[in-house]
Amino acid sequence: MTTQTNKEFWRDLKPIENIFMPDALPEVYIADAVTEDTRYHVPFTDTVFSRPLWISPNENRWCDILIANAPGLVNRHYHPHEVFAFTLSGKWAYLEHDWVATKGNFVYESPDEGHTLVAYESDEPMRVFFVVKGPLIWLDEEGEPEGYFDVHSYIAMCREHFAKNGIGADYVDTLF
């Protein structure tokens, strides 16, 4: 329930009636995006989890909260497209850079940059909101491609996880 005050000058505005363009998909609204319910934390690696928030199979894009409750690692990779990250809590970095991101820090990843994501030990879990477009190209120790992970890999990983823990594989469809 929203409380009306005299400062809310917009209260008498009429909402737009036809808010969606033809063929538009509805919005995704998640009230508890930073949930402590670990059933929604999909294992991404042995030490890092992903909380999917929005997925676009057609655009090969997704938004998630990457989570590490202890020191963690996402193996070396690069993205052919840009990636945006906003740190909600904890500490993380790329081994290849000299910065360490903490709460409130924003990172723009240039396309085609290779890096190794690490989560540091911290008083708070690492939680980073990511917007990822396109695949992650896994790299070997010499920085050469050795596989990929794209939105379809992500969807399959999420479906499997949610099917196993009782949420149901079709939960993923609500994020499209």
Side-chain angles (χ1 to χ4, degrees):
M1 176 88 183
T2 306
T3 304
Q4 184 172 349
T5 68
N6 293 333
K7 295 179 183 179
E8 295 175 342
F9 62 90
W10 45 263
R11 278 286 176 187
D12 292 329
L13 288 178
K14 181 182 170 192
I16 299 168
E17 287 186 31
N18 298 313
I19 61 173
F20 294 110
M21 295 295 151
D23 304 314
L25 296 173
E27 73 276 358
V28 172
Y29 174 80
I30 300 173
D32 191 18
V34 188
T35 182
E36 297 298 327
D37 186 344
T38 58
R39 295 176 307 146
Y40 292 93
H41 300 176
V42 179
F44 192 70
T45 68
D46 292 340
T47 57
V48 176
F49 301 82
S50 172
R51 163 63 156 124
L53 299 175
W54 175 83
I55 302 171
S56 176
N58 295 341
E59 295 180 21
N60 200 354
R61 185 186 307 232
W62 68 89
C63 297
D64 72 336
I65 298 174
L66 209 61
I67 303 161
N69 294 315
L73 170 73
V74 175
N75 290 338
R76 50 181 64 85
H77 62 278
Y78 82 90
H79 306 268
H81 302 281
E82 72 279 354
V83 172
F84 300 93
F86 182 78
T87 308
L88 303 170
S89 64
K91 293 170 47 174
W92 69 281
Y94 296 127
L95 292 179
E96 296 75 15
H97 293 286
D98 61 359
W99 51 262
V100 175
T102 58
K103 184 177 182 175
N105 293 169
F106 170 80
V107 176
Y108 165 76
E109 298 178 19
S110 298
D112 299 320
E113 172 196 300
H115 47 245
T116 311
L117 190 151
V118 294
Y120 289 90
E121 187 172 338
S122 177
D123 293 340
E124 295 182 301
M126 179 202 78
R127 289 192 172 98
V128 183
F129 173 74
F130 276 97
V131 178
V132 179
K133 179 181 179 182
L136 284 75
I137 308 299
W138 300 121
L139 302 174
D140 65 17
E141 291 186 20
E142 283 73 45
E144 295 300 319
E146 65 174 5
Y148 71 93
F149 181 89
D150 68 2
V151 73
H152 305 289
S153 311
Y154 189 54
I155 291 168
M157 180 179 79
C158 292
R159 282 191 200 285
E160 180 181 351
H161 175 74
F162 293 139
K164 285 181 184 176
N165 68 22
I167 292 174
D170 58 349
Y171 171 74
V172 175
D173 298 336
T174 68
L175 305 177
F176 293 175

